[in-house]
Amino acid sequence: MPTPQQGPIGRRVARNVAELRAARGLTLREMSAKMGELGRPTLPSGIMKIEDGTRRVDVDDLVALALALDVSPNRLLLPESAGTDQGVDLTPEVTIPTEDAAWRWAVGEYYPFPLDAPTPASEVVKFMAANRPHAGADLNILEQQIAKHLASLKPVARAARAAEEAGVPFRVIVDYMRLTDALDTLEGQ
């Protein structure tokens, strides 16, 4: 039974740890051993309590659990899938409307706040620059580059919106754009 203090993310982490451990065929004892090897010793009973929600997970536990399960911390924090229309509770008072938006927010691609109004592009670019430092300084000039190439980009945006309306998940559109050269090569074979 979940602890009363545990919020929606804590409950989700508990479910995800249990599901991922089972999917990998790890026993509680094996998971405990992996946690020990990572410098975060946790008894099998502690793993069981994490999974049933009676033990809270701090950030150090979260990272060790993610390493032990070969996933990113985000995979433990968010639902398994993205692209559905189900909302994702972040706190008892904040729900991101879709799983896709929650994942895009978590990886620093998207700024959905405030939820009831469109976010100006300049705020999205600032969010991306602050949350994707691995992308380098390019994000700092993204707004200028978009403005410079706006005429060429507008048809791409219209096509992406049309694909979304036809049911293609946003992440598939983005991945297709990233893989276009490889996919074009495959089509020619």
Side-chain angles (χ1 to χ4, degrees):
M1 175 141 121
T3 60
Q5 307 85 0
Q6 203 168 40
I9 296 290
R11 291 188 297 273
R12 190 172 306 109
V13 167
R15 269 192 318 273
N16 286 340
V17 168
E19 289 170 5
L20 288 165
R21 182 182 62 78
R24 282 152 177 70
L26 294 171
T27 66
L28 291 169
R29 210 176 281 279
E30 290 167 333
M31 184 70 175
S32 172
K34 282 185 160 229
M35 293 292 285
E37 290 166 10
L38 294 166
R40 196 75 181 164
T42 309
L43 294 172
S45 61
I47 302 293
M48 187 170 64
K49 288 177 182 178
I50 288 170
E51 291 179 359
D52 70 18
T54 57
R55 175 178 167 186
R56 294 174 64 95
V57 172
D58 68 22
V59 293
D60 294 314
D61 291 333
L62 182 77
V63 171
L65 288 163
L67 288 167
L69 293 166
D70 296 322
V71 297
S72 74
N74 281 340
R75 175 59 186 88
L76 296 179
L77 296 168
L78 294 173
E80 176 180 8
S81 63
T84 69
D85 289 333
Q86 293 183 339
V88 176
D89 295 331
L90 299 180
T91 72
E93 300 299 322
V94 176
T95 299
I96 290 185
T98 67
E99 291 177 356
D100 185 55
W103 273 98
R104 289 173 59 206
W105 166 74
V107 299
E109 293 177 353
Y110 177 64
Y111 186 76
F113 304 106
L115 295 171
D116 58 350
T119 305
S122 61
E123 291 301 312
V124 175
V125 171
K126 284 181 197 170
F127 175 81
M128 290 173 71
N131 290 284
R132 296 177 58 84
H134 61 282
D138 292 345
L139 285 175
N140 295 326
I141 59 168
L142 180 61
E143 199 166 13
Q144 295 165 348
Q145 289 295 313
I146 289 172
K148 178 180 175 182
H149 301 289
L150 192 57
S152 298
L153 292 170
K154 280 190 175 189
V156 174
R158 281 194 294 278
R161 283 191 202 101
E164 277 188 299
E165 289 171 7
V168 179
F170 181 78
R171 72 182 187 285
V172 172
I173 296 167
V174 171
D175 288 343
Y176 176 79
M177 295 302 295
R178 288 184 181 132
L179 298 170
T180 300
D181 290 340
L183 293 171
D184 287 347
T185 301
L186 288 175
E187 287 175 4
Q189 294 178 359

